[in-house]
Amino acid sequence: PNTSVQIMQQTQAAINRQHTTCIMTTHNLDLINDVGSRLIALNNGKLVYNCSQKERESLNVNQLLELCY
């Protein structure tokens, strides 16, 4: 878990420095509210949820799970 947090922090710092786009994948829903400007959720390869950072920040993990499954 500590390594995941460090990787996410370093990735976010690089994105901010370089003003670039990065597509990241994770199954750790506790990390997603701290990184990125958009959330795109897939289930079995199909798009099930797509939201902005503002909308994502208003959701907790349980709400997100309900939207995606």
Side-chain angles (χ1 to χ4, degrees):
N2 283 341
T3 303
S4 297
V5 171
Q6 290 174 346
I7 290 170
M8 296 293 260
Q9 290 171 341
Q10 291 175 2
T11 302
Q12 186 66 51
I15 291 166
N16 293 342
R17 268 194 322 275
Q18 298 174 15
H19 304 288
T20 189
T21 299
C22 177
I23 298 173
M24 298 171 49
T25 61
T26 185
H27 290 122
N28 187 337
L29 298 180
D30 294 320
L31 291 177
I32 63 168
N33 273 341
D34 298 329
V35 180
S37 59
R38 179 148 223 85
L39 169 67
I40 299 171
L42 304 174
N43 186 357
N44 291 321
K46 295 183 181 178
L47 177 67
V48 293
Y49 193 66
N50 183 356
C51 70
S52 68
Q53 179 178 9
K54 184 176 180 179
E55 184 179 354
R56 184 192 70 220
E57 288 173 349
S58 70
L59 300 172
N60 64 41
V61 172
N62 289 332
Q63 291 169 315
L64 183 58
L65 286 170
E66 286 178 21
L67 290 168
C68 294
Y69 293 99

